[in-house]
Each structure stands twice: as structure tokens, then as C-alpha cells.
Amino acid sequence: MLVANAKPVVLNWDIGYTLAKPDGKNERRVIGINGQWPPPVVYVDVGDSLTINANNKLDEPTSLHSHGLFQNGTNYNDGAVGATECGIPPNGSYTYRMNITQSGTYWIHSHYMAQYVDGLRTPLISRPAVEYYQYDDEKVMMLEAWYNRNSHDIGDQLLSTSEATRLAPFLPTMLVNSHGGPNVNATKLSFTPGKKYRLRLLNTSGTGMIRFGIEHHMLDVIELDGVDSEIKSVPSIQLSAGQRASVLVTAKDSVDYNYAYHADIFTDMQAGVARAELPYRGIVEYAPRAPLIEP
């Protein structure tokens, strides 16, 4: 069955600079695909072959790492610069080829220095022939502690020999699917009463840990880092940088109220602001004019 349904997925990606204002306030240079940012979400099915023709239009090396895929026998396509490849040089090209044998929630990102912090990252969703758990719809939620500074500046500060420079605080802001700031319409979740949703949660941050939860809703964990799990019901879930999880959420039966969801950043890996909690609140919308239950 998998062989009969298998298909080639071929992506032609020009990796280059563009400008974006993801927090709604601060424009900065980011790394996009084919002149667009954010890069597109990649969907594949188990049994597919995935080919990415990557052309580097940057002024430095780059790579593409499919985070979580085993790459058994194809480690030369793993994209880990300094370990399995030298990186794609400026104006160079490389073709990544891999057979999709795993299902679950993954992501593709640069593995050259801290380059993915500049925006070269996107979810990679692999679907099995038959899902073990049943649900009505799914939503991808890429959660990211975003900095309004480029990765080289951040790296220079964190590796500085000056303790005062190294510990000087700088704080990220939360992006949900590459959107943030005051426009909650760009980050809201729309729920239909009675439906069951699969939320694919990804922490694509460079450093921060993220705690996600929805007020007055339980999360049934069904997948961790690409591995299906027995259901575990929790009020919230913590994801370290790079981790992924899928949770099932059953919507309420009425449209009387809207609810808040939280995607709070914990900055434990930054010494200058260690253990600072940066709260973020989005909206789960049942009806546009329904009142919000205050958290």
C-alpha cells in the first residue's frame, strides 16, 4: 500500500535574504525561500521521496537539516555542517534526497552556526497511511522565541570574553507561526464546538524553553518528537528548543466564550536573564463576538 501511494516530493529552494516585521514593530533582515518569508510548511507521507534542490543566495554558507529524521544510510543528507557536510557555499547548490520512513512532527532548519535564528526554519509534517489516533482537524503551531537581532550579533555577545557584555540582558518575543506582536488575529486558534483537534507543537527557538497550555482545556499528549505515545492528559506541556509534541484538544460544546492560550518563554539558557518568564497570550476563538474568559 505504501509503495502504491508513494510519490516524489520535489522542492526547488533559493535560500536568500529578505525583510520581515514578524512582531509587527521591528523590521529586520531574515532568511527566506524563493524571496518569501516565512518558508512554506513541508508536508509528506510515509513512503514518499523528498528532494530539496537548495541554491545558496546568501553571503555565507548554509545547509538544511531535517530535524528528527534518522537518515539511516544517508547521513550525507543530514545537513549538519562540520559533521556530515561542509555546508553549501555562497552561490553553490546541493540536492538533499531522502526516503520518508517516519511519521510525525519534524522541522527543517539551517545547521550552519546559529543561522536558523535568522528565520531559515519550517515545520516538516509526515503523515502515516493510517493514523493511530482519530481527530477532526489538525493545526500546526510553530512556537519561537524571536530576537530582533541577527544570529551573529547574539553569538558574539554570548561568546564574549567580557562578563559584562556576555551577561547584558536581551529578551526575545514570542512568535506563533512567524507572527507576533499586538495583532492577536494573526495568532488565534479557531475552534468549532465539539470537534477534536490535533495541535502539532514545535519549539523552533534558539535558546528558550516554552510552556504551552489552553485555559479550561486539557491537552492529551499523543506524540513526542515523532514517536506516538500512550495518551497522557496534562493542563500544559513544556518544550525545550528543538522539541515537538502533538496533543489532542476537544473543543467545548458551546460558543458562549472564547479562551486564552499561553505560550510562555523561559530563558534558562541565557545567563543574563536566567529564569525570566516572558508570558504570551493568544486567543482560542469559538465566536468572534464571544467574551474572553479572563485567565
Side-chain angles (χ1 to χ4, degrees):
M1 180 65 72
L2 290 180
V3 174
N5 291 337
K7 63 184 183 300
V9 177
V10 180
L11 306 174
N12 297 307
W13 283 6
D14 286 345
I15 302 170
Y17 299 113
T18 187
L19 295 174
K21 194 186 294 183
D23 65 355
K25 297 180 293 184
N26 301 286
E27 185 175 69
R28 58 159 288 190
R29 190 174 78 167
V30 296
I31 300 176
I33 300 297
N34 300 334
Q36 300 295 316
W37 192 89
V41 178
V42 177
Y43 290 93
V44 293
D45 298 307
V46 171
D48 289 351
S49 62
L50 175 61
T51 300
I52 304 177
N53 299 310
N55 304 304
N56 183 7
K57 305 298 184 182
L58 307 176
D59 57 11
E60 62 182 8
T62 192
S63 75
L64 295 174
H65 170 64
S66 297
H67 192 115
L69 296 190
F70 294 149
Q71 300 288 5
N72 289 333
T74 55
N75 62 316
Y76 44 82
N77 284 326
D78 195 44
V81 174
T84 61
E85 67 170 73
C86 296
I88 308 171
N91 298 314
S93 299
Y94 186 79
T95 296
Y96 294 90
R97 295 186 177 92
M98 58 203 84
N99 293 320
I100 304 301
T101 61
Q102 301 160 248
S103 64
T105 307
Y106 306 93
W107 57 304
I108 298 173
H109 62 83
S110 169
H111 215 305
Y112 174 72
M113 301 184 72
Q115 196 176 68
Y116 80 79
V117 175
D118 294 323
L120 185 48
R121 76 292 177 270
T122 193
L124 169 62
I125 308 302
S126 178
R127 298 163 297 205
V130 179
E131 289 283 4
Y132 188 79
Y133 294 105
Q134 301 303 307
Y135 47 89
D136 298 303
D137 196 5
E138 73 171 43
K139 298 177 184 291
V140 176
M141 297 191 69
M142 183 172 68
L143 309 173
E144 179 177 17
W146 177 258
Y147 296 95
N148 293 310
R149 303 167 56 193
N150 70 56
S151 61
H152 291 291
D153 288 346
I154 296 172
D156 289 346
Q157 176 178 339
L158 295 179
L159 297 175
S160 173
T161 57
S162 165
E163 184 176 21
T165 298
R166 194 169 60 250
L167 299 184
F170 61 98
L171 298 176
T173 57
M174 171 55 60
L175 297 186
V176 180
N177 293 332
S178 301
H179 295 282
N183 182 10
V184 294
N185 286 325
T187 60
K188 72 180 179 183
L189 289 173
S190 295
F191 276 12
T192 299
K195 284 195 172 183
K196 183 178 290 186
Y197 293 91
R198 177 178 186 161
L199 304 184
R200 295 183 182 267
L201 308 173
L202 306 90
N203 182 353
T204 61
S205 306
T207 57
M209 183 169 66
I210 294 172
R211 179 192 291 148
F212 177 86
I214 303 176
E215 295 280 346
H216 302 281
H217 294 69
M218 293 295 289
L219 313 178
D220 290 341
V221 181
I222 61 168
E223 177 216 351
L224 292 169
D225 292 335
V227 179
D228 289 337
S229 67
E230 294 183 2
I231 287 181
K232 174 72 173 180
S233 295
V234 296
S236 65
I237 186 169
Q238 294 182 170
L239 299 173
S240 293
Q243 287 190 308
R244 299 90 60 211
S246 286
V247 299
L248 296 180
V249 181
T250 301
K252 302 291 186 182
D253 290 327
S254 77
V255 296
D256 293 342
Y257 298 99
N258 294 328
Y259 300 84
Y261 72 79
H262 299 266
D264 301 332
I265 305 170
F266 294 83
T267 58
D268 294 28
M269 292 177 65
Q270 292 175 237
V273 291
R275 311 223 177 264
E277 180 178 347
L278 304 175
Y280 177 84
R281 189 175 78 172
I283 304 297
V284 175
E285 184 182 87
Y286 282 85
R289 296 185 179 181
L292 176 70
I293 291 186
E294 286 300 318

